[in-house]
Amino acid sequence: MIPLELIATLRTATHIAVLTGAGISAESGIPTFREAQTGLWAQYEPTELATPEAFRRNPKLVWDWYAWRRTLVANATPNPSHFALAAMETHLPSFTLITQNIDSLHQRAGSRKVIELHGNLARTKCFREGVIVETWEETGETPPRCPRCGGFLRPDVVWFNEALPAEAIKTAYDKAGGAEVFFSIGTSAVVQPAASLPIIALQNGAIVVEINPTPTPLTDRMTFVLEGKAGVVLPELLQSVWGN
Ligand code: OAD
């Protein structure tokens, strides 16, 4: 049940910003970071694989983990929550979608403008020089080597202890600060700086809304908490506000 006050606010709001996390892709079959992994990778903690130190220690292990995630993503399809956000963009004059996800599922659902805070799994870059690499020779070595400098290649994603893309985080801060309504969806809200975006919105007078089946450290500070799966709550919200 979507609160009537929220429905009324959304009907007249112009500036809306949304932050998404791994939970929004959970219903597409992509495991979140903080849930136990199954199968082949069950013995590893994602937070211990997604670091430059892990890559230095064991580049093959980290490359293989991302290769597995790439296959998962390639076989996944966007779910109703991704489609609802793509539709929301068409209803609003100023809508900003900020994601911590690296899976392109928002874009595949039709979202046109997506600010990617943590990079994208589909891109590859040189670990040594940081330049994007589009093609390389497959020699059977894992990870493959940069055709320019011979260093290892890595996914163009942000790892723990690494800086976020400057332009993306700057735009995200600006849009959070200027939002009338800010949604925090499917994120555990523990990884900085993304987790501070709802707080920036709140401090600048926004109505903040969390959509998550489980409470997070930010739940108590939210104006509205829509407890449930994003794939259920978002289509219901869209229907309640815009009728589709
Ligand atoms: P997490 O794995 O930390 O949290 C996923 C959140 O989604 C949890 O709060 C779940 O309760 C919630 N959730 C699960 N299923 C859901 C559903 N169907 N609908 C809505 N919510 C659901 O993922 P993130 O918060 O995205 O960073 O993690 C943040 C960052 O930490 C990631 O981008 C990644 C990770 O380590 C890096 O790799 C740098």
Side-chain angles (χ1 to χ4, degrees):
M1 193 70 181
I2 312 297
L4 290 176
E5 194 191 331
L6 177 59
I7 295 173
T9 304
L10 287 170
R11 283 200 180 129
T12 54
T14 47
H15 289 74
I16 295 194
V18 176
L19 170 69
T20 65
I24 201 153
S25 295
E27 290 159 80
S28 294
I30 317 268
T32 65
F33 287 90
R34 264 145 273 270
E35 92 197 342
Q37 301 201 89
T38 52
L40 207 57
W41 295 95
Q43 57 179 309
Y44 299 102
E45 275 291 325
T47 45
E48 283 166 20
L49 291 170
T51 70
E53 294 73 30
F55 187 80
R56 269 192 207 97
R57 218 171 23 243
N58 194 339
K60 180 176 182 326
L61 179 76
V62 175
W63 178 271
D64 284 346
W65 185 60
Y66 279 98
W68 170 72
R69 290 190 75 88
R70 210 174 278 121
T71 308
L72 265 184
V73 165
N75 293 327
T77 47
N79 67 58
S81 63
H82 296 108
F83 288 115
L85 289 176
M88 212 190 264
E89 185 177 7
T90 65
H91 288 292
L92 291 156
S94 170
F95 178 80
T96 305
L97 178 54
I98 306 160
T99 190
Q100 297 166 87
N101 298 345
I102 57 175
D103 57 25
S104 302
L105 288 177
H106 285 306
Q107 291 91 331
R108 283 170 59 193
S111 285
R112 281 167 302 160
K113 283 179 283 167
V114 185
I115 299 175
E116 294 181 318
L117 293 180
H118 291 166
N120 193 301
L121 192 53
R123 285 191 308 267
T124 300
K125 67 180 181 183
C126 173
F127 182 63
R128 192 185 292 163
E129 297 179 319
V131 278
I132 299 292
V133 173
E134 310 230 335
T135 53
W136 58 87
E137 206 185 329
E138 292 291 354
T139 60
E141 191 181 9
T142 311
R145 299 265 178 186
C146 172
R148 267 166 56 108
C149 75
F152 282 134
L153 295 180
R154 56 164 282 183
D156 184 22
V157 300
V158 176
W159 285 334
F160 287 100
N161 308 326
E162 291 187 322
L164 272 63
E167 186 66 32
I169 189 65
K170 185 187 175 306
T171 311
Y173 278 137
D174 287 351
K175 297 293 183 181
E180 288 164 77
V181 184
F182 188 96
F183 286 90
S184 179
I185 308 174
T187 175
S188 57
V190 292
V191 175
Q192 293 294 352
S196 62
L197 292 170
I199 302 301
I200 290 171
L202 188 65
Q203 287 167 345
N204 283 278
I207 285 175
V208 285
V209 186
E210 183 171 75
I211 302 178
N212 199 313
T214 314
T216 75
L218 297 186
T219 301
D220 288 345
R221 305 185 65 178
M222 293 286 154
T223 323
F224 295 103
V225 177
L226 307 181
E227 198 182 308
K229 292 183 173 185
V232 175
V233 175
L234 273 171
E236 190 188 333
L237 180 112
L238 202 78
Q239 176 68 36
S240 308
V241 180
W242 293 286
N244 64 11

